[in-house]
């Protein structure tokens, strides 16, 4: 195990020597969502001088960046009267750089200032999902954003040429929520921000199929424990209703169905308040497809894995990759790596936990998922006032 922690400013300039003497680290990286990290270490003066608001943590694992991003809680300080208290301890919490996008909402006219936003228009795009996601990020947080909205140092990587066509319609919704919806509807794409070449690079990618080479099992010696849960789908039929407008008496209705899931389990209908009046550009179809992808029969598989020379997290497999887990009774489960959780202390070494499964195979509390859904709906309702 070789872990190192650096502090940089917003311009990615290193602020001092690597943080020394750390006693514990707990980091979770997530697919298409901001990661989170917590680091505890002695509160030495030289350390405290670096842990300033606006600075970033860069975590290196075996020389490569494991997770880097802004500090959310620069100092959580503790001291008591014990003999070993010394200068006390400090815990710093940080996120990865996707958190900078989480602070943006989608403007219907991103090329205009806030006071010039239209009263009822939407931002719309129909076409390749990668192009849509790149445009959303560029116009709301990237080099093409309105003055003051651009994330410092953020650039877009060259297009990867991935994804299928999808329709996206948004207004005042959380930027990452819309990007995730477009990624699901356009072929299950992934996106991330990497610190590279002195800047922050946003890229869209297609998950790799590593089911034959990235395998976890007791026999291979890379599986410490697992907990598996396979559940019925919460929706097999998405019943989408187009938005209503004044003077229109005929409302558009679209149905999207996962007949395979309905045949295996049973029919589960869910109403969807669509984002468009008609399905002329496929917006209502995209709304239904996104719901079915989100509500598919969840395979929630939490595994505690062990790195081996043949298979290492962040090296041989990573977030978004499709891998295989062999259960003790012989059943093989293949799905995407949704999160990678790394815990470490100098004494015990590393423990790496991977969550594999459907989009709902998340460690988020149900209330968090509910709030996301409500936020999306409220954003759409703004145009109907």
């Amino acid at each position: 195990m070789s872990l190192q922690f650096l502090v940089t400013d917003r311009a990615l300039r290193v602020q001092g020597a690597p943080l020394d003497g750390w006693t514990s680290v707990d980091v979770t990286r997530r697919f298409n969502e901001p990661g989170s990290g917590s680091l505890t270490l002695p509160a030495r003066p030289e350390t405290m001088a670096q842990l300033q608001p606006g600075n970033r943590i860069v975590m290196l694992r075996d020389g490569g960046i494991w997770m880097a991003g802004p500090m959310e809680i620069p100092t959580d300080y503790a001291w008591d009267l014990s003999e070993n208290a010394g200068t006390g301890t400090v815990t710093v919490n940080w996120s990865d750089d996707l958190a900078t996008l989480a602070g943006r909402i989608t403007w219907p006219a991103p090329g205009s200032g806030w006071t010039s936003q239209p009263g009822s228009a939407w931002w719309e795009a129909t076409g390749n999902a990668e192009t849509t996601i790149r445009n959303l990020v560029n116009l709301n947080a990237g080099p093409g954003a309105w003055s003051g909205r651009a994330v410092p140092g953020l650039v877009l990587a060259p297009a990867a040429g991935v994804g299928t066509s999808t329709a996206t319609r948004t207004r005042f919704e959380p930027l990452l929520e819309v990007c995730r919806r477009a990624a699901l509807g356009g072929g299950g794409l992934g996106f991330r921000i990497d610190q590279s070449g002195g800047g922050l690079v946003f890229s869209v990618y297609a998950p790799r199929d590593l089911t034959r080479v990235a395998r976890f099992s007791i026999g291979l010696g890379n599986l410490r424990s697992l907990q598996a849960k396979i559940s019925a789908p919460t929706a097999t039929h998405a019943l989408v209703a187009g938005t209503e407008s004044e003077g229109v008496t005929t409302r558009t209705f679209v149905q999207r169905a996962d007949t395979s899931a309905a045949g295996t389990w049973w029919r589960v209908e869910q109403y969807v308040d669509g984002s468009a009046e008609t399905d002329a550009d496929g917006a209502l179809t995209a709304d239904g497809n996104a719901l079915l992808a989100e509500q598919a029969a969840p395979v929630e598989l939490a595994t505690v894995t062990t790195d081996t020379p043949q298979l290492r997290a962040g090296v041989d497999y990573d977030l978004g990759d499709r891998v295989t887990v062999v259960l003790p009774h012989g059943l093989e489960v293949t799905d995407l790596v949704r999160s990678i959780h790394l815990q470490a202390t100098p004494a015990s070494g590393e423990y790496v936990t991977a969550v594999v499964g459907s989009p709902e195979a998340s460690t988020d509390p149900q209330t968090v998922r509910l709030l996301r859904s409500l936020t999306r709906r409220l954003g759409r309702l703004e145009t109907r006032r």
Side-chain angles (χ1 to χ4, degrees):
M1 175 184 69
S2 175
L3 300 180
Q4 190 177 51
F5 301 90
L6 303 174
V7 176
T8 76
D9 61 13
R10 293 181 182 177
L12 310 188
R13 294 178 295 233
V14 177
Q15 296 300 287
L19 300 179
D20 190 26
W22 61 273
T23 55
S24 67
V25 60
D26 190 313
V27 176
T28 301
R29 299 168 56 222
R30 299 179 177 89
F31 180 60
N32 288 357
E33 296 186 58
S36 59
S38 175
L39 176 69
T40 300
L41 64 164
R44 298 167 180 159
E46 60 272 21
T47 296
M48 301 300 287
Q50 296 190 53
L51 301 182
Q52 298 299 316
N55 283 348
R56 305 167 64 257
I57 292 286
V58 179
M59 176 182 174
L60 303 172
R61 185 186 186 217
D62 296 332
I65 295 178
W66 181 255
M67 193 179 86
M71 298 180 190
E72 294 185 322
I73 303 177
T75 56
D76 185 353
Y77 177 74
W79 180 90
D80 59 33
L81 200 57
S82 66
E83 294 182 3
N84 299 320
T87 57
T89 61
V90 62
T91 298
V92 54
N93 292 278
W94 82 101
S95 181
D96 69 27
D97 286 303
L98 273 183
T100 59
L101 304 187
R104 301 289 192 276
I105 62 173
T106 56
W107 289 15
S112 301
W114 176 249
T115 57
S116 301
Q117 293 301 300
S120 59
W122 296 68
W123 186 90
E124 300 178 83
T126 301
N128 176 262
E130 179 191 12
T131 301
T132 295
I133 295 169
R134 287 167 54 86
N135 285 339
L136 281 165
V137 171
N138 181 46
L139 295 175
N140 290 282
W146 184 256
S147 177
R149 298 191 75 206
V151 175
L154 179 66
V155 299
L156 274 66
V162 297
T164 58
S165 181
T166 188
T168 302
R169 197 168 188 258
T170 182
R171 173 182 169 84
F172 305 140
E173 295 180 88
L175 174 60
L176 284 186
E177 291 295 313
V178 183
C179 289
R180 277 191 286 267
R181 194 162 71 237
L184 272 174
L189 300 178
F191 52 84
R192 61 192 170 213
I193 294 180
D194 296 310
Q195 179 177 324
S196 177
L200 302 177
V201 182
F202 177 84
S203 61
V204 182
Y205 63 97
R208 300 177 296 176
D209 185 353
L210 302 181
T211 52
R212 296 195 176 197
V213 295
R215 297 174 61 86
F216 299 93
S217 71
I218 297 173
L220 292 173
N222 58 9
L223 191 61
R224 287 179 175 170
S225 67
L226 62 87
Q227 182 175 358
K229 181 171 69 175
I230 301 176
S231 307
T234 52
T236 63
H237 289 70
L239 308 179
V240 189
T243 58
E244 296 179 288
S245 60
E246 293 184 11
V248 176
T249 58
T250 303
R251 195 175 185 186
T252 302
F253 294 95
V254 171
Q255 175 179 278
R256 302 300 297 166
D258 185 342
T259 55
S260 176
T264 300
W265 298 89
W266 50 81
R267 181 182 177 110
V268 184
E269 298 177 345
Q270 190 166 143
Y271 175 83
V272 182
D273 197 5
S275 61
E277 291 183 8
T278 71
D279 199 38
D281 60 357
L284 300 183
T285 295
D287 290 338
N289 290 341
L291 176 81
L292 292 180
E294 292 172 352
Q295 306 294 325
V299 177
E300 301 182 39
L301 187 65
T303 66
V304 178
T305 64
T306 303
D307 276 355
T308 66
Q310 295 77 28
L311 192 62
R312 298 193 62 212
V315 178
D316 303 299
Y317 74 95
D318 214 327
L319 293 174
D321 291 335
R322 184 174 290 275
V323 300
T324 299
V325 178
V326 182
L327 306 186
H329 49 70
L331 177 66
E332 293 189 359
V333 177
T334 67
D335 216 316
L336 302 189
V337 178
R338 297 289 169 182
S339 67
I340 299 175
H341 184 195
L342 185 151
Q343 296 174 295
T345 67
S348 63
E350 295 179 355
Y351 291 88
V352 180
T353 303
V355 174
V356 180
S358 72
E360 287 299 291
S362 168
T363 55
D364 286 341
Q366 187 64 31
T367 51
V368 174
R369 303 182 199 177
L370 176 61
L371 284 172
R372 286 180 177 169
S373 176
L374 289 175
T375 301
R376 181 188 306 172
R377 295 177 186 178
L378 288 171
R380 293 179 177 177
L381 286 172
E382 285 297 322
T383 59
R384 303 178 196 176
R385 293 186 176 183

